[in-house]
Amino acid sequence: VTDVGGGCGYFARRLAHLTGHRVRVVDMDEASVEACRKAGVEAVRGDALDPRVAAPADVVSFNLILHHLVGGSERATLDLQRRALALWTSQARAVFVNEYIYESYLGRLSGWLIFQITKSRLLSWIGRAVSTVVPSLRANTFGVGVRFRAHKEWLGVFAAAGYEVASSVLGEEETVSLPRRLLLIRRIRRDSFLLKPRQDGLQAVPAAAR
């Protein structure tokens, strides 16, 4: 198993303990890679788009990582997330994704709004100021950007990267505070997906990803 963005290896160690499989962490933070090695976890330095880290694996894990891959626009962000997944279509038998699901009262607006706020310096500054009064709106992604998506949106990203969903598990509904509902957030979950490379290898972008 290759755990992309595995940090200090807590998930990797737990996974290895439960399954007995060899688990390798890929992370761009040198301190995290060193912490993995000290804990006896195999680790290499690299980012999610680095083809040099795409060594063959049975399963590749993206555990709450894809939403951090953001660009300067929605199109650029979709491309980054698609490329990170597509990197493994010929290198892994399956891909496991665990991701935040933000369902909106109005289409897919909530995830898009959060993306616009967190990637804008001005809006992030306002967001930080508001969060000092409303703690439930605090975020460590202000000024950096984060792109949450609805369940169907993630399905579109997976299809665009060349995968089909073999199975999925809906996570438990999380509490949505009243201030967050002002962003038209209806539901928040963490869903899990097991992806298999498409046999036809096509990577057309379906309507769900547009």
Side-chain angles (χ1 to χ4, degrees), residues 10-210:
Y10 298 116
F11 178 68
R13 276 189 290 170
R14 182 65 173 164
L15 186 60
H17 174 73
L18 290 174
T19 67
H21 292 296
R22 173 188 169 199
V23 183
R24 178 184 70 145
V25 166
V26 174
D27 200 281
M28 63 187 301
D29 179 57
E30 186 62 48
S32 295
V33 170
E34 186 60 29
C36 283
R37 292 171 178 167
K38 288 181 178 179
V41 177
E42 181 183 350
V44 295
R45 189 169 183 269
D47 64 50
L49 300 172
D50 187 350
R52 294 173 296 178
V53 305
D58 289 317
V59 179
V60 175
S61 170
F62 289 86
N63 185 21
L64 301 180
I65 293 299
L66 291 176
H67 65 268
H68 288 297
L69 301 181
V70 297
S73 66
E74 174 63 21
R75 181 177 293 275
T77 296
L78 175 61
D79 186 58
L80 286 174
Q81 295 172 342
R82 180 193 61 79
R83 285 166 50 203
L85 292 166
L87 187 65
W88 299 93
T89 52
S90 62
Q91 296 292 86
R93 294 170 57 191
V95 171
F96 167 77
V97 174
N98 182 40
E99 259 305 335
Y100 281 110
I101 304 299
Y102 275 58
E103 302 288 358
S104 177
Y105 283 104
L106 186 59
R108 303 162 185 169
L109 185 61
S110 298
W112 182 85
L113 278 176
I114 293 170
F115 172 60
Q116 298 300 324
I117 293 170
T118 56
K119 79 181 182 69
S120 165
R121 290 185 179 181
L122 175 59
L123 293 178
S124 289
W125 181 85
I126 295 172
R128 288 192 190 96
V130 172
S131 67
T132 60
V133 181
V134 187
S136 64
L137 293 179
R138 286 177 183 167
N140 59 7
T141 53
F142 283 132
V144 178
V146 65
R147 185 56 168 99
F148 301 120
R149 297 184 183 277
H151 184 96
K152 287 186 178 180
E153 281 186 282
W154 282 119
L155 296 182
V157 175
F158 304 151
Y163 294 92
E164 59 185 7
V165 178
S167 62
S168 62
V169 177
L170 303 186
E172 294 182 3
E173 299 282 343
E174 301 184 11
T175 301
V176 182
S177 66
L178 180 58
R180 288 196 173 197
R181 291 197 185 276
L182 296 178
L183 294 171
L184 300 180
I185 300 171
R186 185 176 183 179
R187 296 188 181 94
I188 299 176
R189 300 190 309 268
R190 279 171 279 183
D191 291 356
S192 296
F193 307 86
L194 183 65
L195 313 178
K196 296 291 186 67
R198 288 166 54 106
Q199 295 301 312
D200 55 22
L202 297 178
Q203 297 184 12
V205 180
R210 296 171 187 162

